[in-house]
Amino acid sequence: MNEAHLHMVVNHFPIIGTILGLGILVAGFIFKNNTIKNTAYSLFVVGAIFSAVSMATGEGAERMVEDMPSVGHHIIHEHEEIAEKLALIMYILGIASIIGFYMNVKENAKAKILSFIILALSIGATIIAVNVGTSGGEVRHTEIREGASKSQPDNDKKIEDHEEHENH
C-alpha cells in the first residue's frame, strides 16, 4: 500500500465522522443525554486522529498524482489549503471533545457550556469537511470540477493550458 492509497483509505473518516458526530451531538442536545453527547465526542476524537493521518499521507499522495494528466497543481494546492484548515479545527475539536467527555463523566457544571462550544466547532468543521471532500474529489474526478460539462470534453486540456500559461 503506497501513501496515495493510504491517504484514500483514511481521508474519508474525518469528513464522514464529523458529519455523523454533529448529528449525534444534536441528538444529545435534543434528548438532553450526556451519553449521546459523549458518543459524538468520541467520533470527533477519532476524526482528529484520522485527520492527522490524512495530513501525514497527503504529501506522499500529492507526489504520486501531481504530474498525472488532468491533475492540476492549483487543484491540489487548493485541496491542501482547505485540508490544513480542517485539520486545525479537527485537532481543536478533538481536544475540546476529550475535555467535554471528562467534564460529562465528572458532572462538571461547565460541561453544558463546553458542549455548545463543541457544537459550534463541529458545525464549522462539517462545513470545512464538505469543502475538503469536494476539493479532494476534484483532484481525480474532473467531472465534478466547476465548469465541467458534457459539452466540454476538453476541460482537462484547458486546465493544463492555464497552468502552463501561469508557469511562464
Side-chain angles (χ1 to χ4, degrees), residues 82-151:
I82 300 169
E84 288 170 353
K85 290 175 185 156
L86 177 61
L88 179 61
I89 196 168
M90 288 302 298
Y91 302 152
I92 294 167
L93 181 58
I95 291 167
S97 294
I98 291 169
I99 296 167
F101 190 93
Y102 178 80
M103 290 174 81
N104 279 344
V105 169
K106 294 295 183 181
E107 298 179 1
N108 187 299
K110 295 182 181 174
K112 188 171 185 174
I113 294 168
L114 183 58
S115 67
F116 283 108
I117 293 169
I118 293 170
L119 177 65
L121 286 169
S122 66
I123 290 169
T126 298
I127 292 167
I128 297 170
V130 169
N131 290 326
V132 168
T134 300
S135 68
E138 289 174 349
V139 170
R140 293 293 292 148
H141 293 281
T142 59
E143 72 277 9
I144 67 169
R145 292 180 187 166
E146 190 170 316
S149 70
K150 286 184 178 181
S151 64

Side-chain angles (χ1 to χ4, degrees), residues 12-136:
H12 294 90
F13 193 84
I15 298 167
I16 296 168
T18 302
I19 294 168
L20 290 173
L22 174 59
I24 292 169
L25 184 57
V26 168
F29 278 105
I30 291 169
F31 294 113
K32 297 179 175 145
N33 186 316
N34 284 340
T35 302
I36 296 173
K37 289 180 185 177
N38 287 343
T39 302
Y41 295 166
S42 298
L43 281 172
F44 297 144
V45 170
V46 173
I49 293 166
F50 274 81
S51 290
V53 177
S54 291
M55 292 302 294
T57 59
E59 287 294 324
E62 177 182 1
R63 281 192 302 274
M64 295 191 79
V65 301
E66 67 186 342
D67 294 325
M68 290 181 169
S70 81
V71 176
H73 291 280
H74 69 282
I75 292 171
I76 293 174
H77 179 72
E78 180 181 326
H79 173 63
E80 185 177 8
E81 291 295 313
I82 300 169
E84 288 170 353
K85 290 175 185 156
L86 177 61
L88 179 61
I89 196 168
M90 288 302 298
Y91 302 152
I92 294 167
L93 181 58
I95 291 167
S97 294
I98 291 169
I99 296 167
F101 190 93
Y102 178 80
M103 290 174 81
N104 279 344
V105 169
K106 294 295 183 181
E107 298 179 1
N108 187 299
K110 295 182 181 174
K112 188 171 185 174
I113 294 168
L114 183 58
S115 67
F116 283 108
I117 293 169
I118 293 170
L119 177 65
L121 286 169
S122 66
I123 290 169
T126 298
I127 292 167
I128 297 170
V130 169
N131 290 326
V132 168
T134 300
S135 68

